[in-house]
Amino acid sequence: MIIATATAAALVLLAGCGSGDDAARDGGNASPGTRLAVVATTPEVADFVRTVGGGDVTVTQIIKPNVDPHDYEPTPADIQAIGKAAVVVKNGVGLEEWLDQTIESAGFKGAVVDSSQGVALREGGHEEGEGHEEGEEAHEGEEYDPHIWHNPQNAKTMVANIEKGLAAADPAHAAAFAGNLRNYTAELDKLDADNEAAFARIPADQRKLVTNHDAFGYYVDRYRLQFVGSVIPSLDTSAELSAKQLNDLVAKIKATGAKAIFAESSLPPKSAEAIAKQAGVKVIGGEDALYGDSLGAEGTPQGTYLGAERHNTQVIVTALGG
C-alpha cells in the first residue's frame, strides 16, 4: 500500500499561562524550584515524559494501563487536569481523537507537544514511509498507523520531541532534560539492538505474527516479521471480523504455518481463542499477553516502555522459536 508523507501538526507551542497547584508559571514557564505540570495522554507517552522530565516535572497520565485508547472517553477529572497543566503531550497520528475537544473544554492555553513529529508513518500495509513535518496533516484523507512507539527508533524521535517541548516550557531545567534524553536514547538503542539479536536467532520463515488487532506494524517492519493477520482487522479496535474474514484468517493461519495467536493485555481474548481453536493453534495470553496499546501496571517491569517492549519480544521469540 502506498505510504504518504503526511503529518499531524507536531509541536505546537501556544503562549499563555494557566492556574494550578502543581507548578508556578510565568508565561507558561515553571519558576525556579517548582515542577512543570504536564498532562500526558497515553501510558507510553507518560513514561517518556517522566523519564525525560525526571524530578522537574509532575505528570498526570490520562489513559491508565490496560485501557483501550481507541475508544477512550475523557472524564471531568481529565478536563480539570488539562486546565491546570502547563504542557500537554500526546502520541499524535490521530490516536487521541477526543483530545482537541477536551482541550477546548478545559480552556487550556499552554503548550501542546505532538510527539509524532518526524516519525515515518505507515498506512495499512507494512512498509515504512517518510517522516512528516510540522504544519502538514498526518492523516488527511488517509488512515495512518498510530502505534509508532513499537519501533524503538520512532521512540527516540518521540522523546526528542518531548525534550524540546519541556525545554521550551521550562528553560531553567533544559540542561537536565537534555541529559536525561541522552541517557534514555542510549537505552532505546540497546533495546533495539537486543530485539534484533533475539529475532536473528529465529529462521525468517518462522517469524509469523497473528495478533488481536493490527497494532504491531512498525515492529513487524523493524524486525522483518511476517504479519499473517489480526483478529480485529483494523488499526483501531472498533472493527469486527465478518464470517468470511474469520474463515479467511483461519485458512491463512493454516496455510502459513503460524504457530500462535498473540492476545493483547487491553483486549478480551475470547475471539482470539475461538479462532485459534478453529485454526488448531495456541493463544498466547494471560501474563504473556502482548502490550499492544498499553503498558503494564504501575510498579511492574512491564509498567515502563522499556519493560513492556522487552516483554513483547521475549514472548514472541519464545513462542515462535519453541
Side-chain angles (χ1 to χ4, degrees):
M1 192 169 287
I2 296 174
I3 306 301
T5 58
T7 171
L11 178 61
V12 182
L13 296 177
L14 303 173
C17 57
S19 61
D21 300 328
D22 294 319
R25 284 173 282 286
D26 180 12
N29 297 337
S31 301
T34 66
R35 292 192 292 175
L36 189 70
V38 182
V39 167
T41 54
T42 69
E44 296 82 10
V45 168
D47 186 55
F48 292 156
V49 175
R50 292 187 191 101
T51 302
V52 173
D56 297 313
V57 300
T58 297
V59 182
T60 300
Q61 177 180 319
I62 297 294
I63 300 175
K64 305 308 179 189
N66 292 324
V67 173
D68 184 353
H70 295 285
D71 59 0
Y72 184 76
E73 295 185 5
T75 67
D78 297 334
I79 297 173
Q80 183 179 35
I82 289 173
K84 291 183 177 182
V87 179
V88 170
V89 183
K90 66 179 181 177
N91 180 86
V93 202
L95 184 64
E96 304 98 333
E97 294 183 355
W98 48 270
L99 184 59
D100 288 347
Q101 180 59 50
T102 306
I103 284 175
E104 183 178 349
S105 298
F108 176 75
K109 301 297 181 183
V112 178
V113 178
D114 183 335
S115 66
S116 70
Q117 180 184 9
V119 171
L121 300 180
R122 57 177 296 275
E123 52 149 313
H126 293 275
E127 303 173 73
E128 292 186 359
E130 298 178 12
H132 58 287
E133 299 175 357
E134 185 175 358
E136 296 177 322
E137 287 297 324
H139 48 94
E140 184 178 358
E142 300 287 350
E143 182 180 18
Y144 289 85
D145 187 344
H147 306 90
I148 55 178
W149 62 90
H150 284 305
N151 179 341
Q153 295 302 313
N154 292 347
K156 287 171 61 176
T157 300
M158 296 172 75
V159 294
N161 289 331
I162 290 168
E163 185 271 339
K164 181 180 177 182
L166 296 183
D170 185 6
H173 295 108
F177 300 148
N180 294 339
L181 175 65
R182 285 193 298 272
N183 293 337
Y184 194 58
T185 296
E187 292 192 72
L188 292 173
D189 281 334
K190 184 178 186 307
L191 170 69
D192 193 27
D194 289 345
N195 286 351
E196 286 192 313
F199 282 109
R201 296 192 291 269
I202 299 178
D205 63 357
Q206 294 183 28
R207 302 175 195 166
K208 295 166 183 172
L209 195 65
V210 185
T211 58
N212 249 7
H213 83 298
D214 192 0
F216 291 91
Y218 296 96
Y219 189 93
V220 165
D221 289 342
R222 181 64 182 167
Y223 304 116
R224 298 174 296 282
L225 309 183
Q226 178 185 344
F227 181 70
V228 175
S230 57
V231 174
I232 300 172
S234 175
L235 296 172
D236 64 34
T237 57
S238 60
E240 295 182 2
L241 276 177
S242 67
K244 181 181 184 304
Q245 288 173 317
L246 189 154
N247 291 332
D248 288 348
L249 178 57
V250 170
K252 195 171 182 182
I253 291 171
K254 291 179 177 179
T256 59
K259 294 182 177 181
I261 297 176
F262 293 88
E264 297 174 39
S265 64
S266 58
L267 294 172
K270 288 186 66 176
S271 295
E273 290 167 350
I275 292 173
K277 184 176 181 180
Q278 291 189 48
V281 298
K282 59 186 175 181
V283 172
I284 308 297
E287 293 183 354
D288 289 332
L290 302 184
Y291 294 98
D293 280 334
S294 188
L295 300 181
E298 183 179 353
T300 67
Q302 295 81 19
T304 68
Y305 169 79
L306 293 174
E309 293 296 312
R310 291 183 187 122
H311 165 91
N312 287 349
T313 296
Q314 181 180 8
V315 168
I316 293 170
V317 167
T318 299
L320 299 187

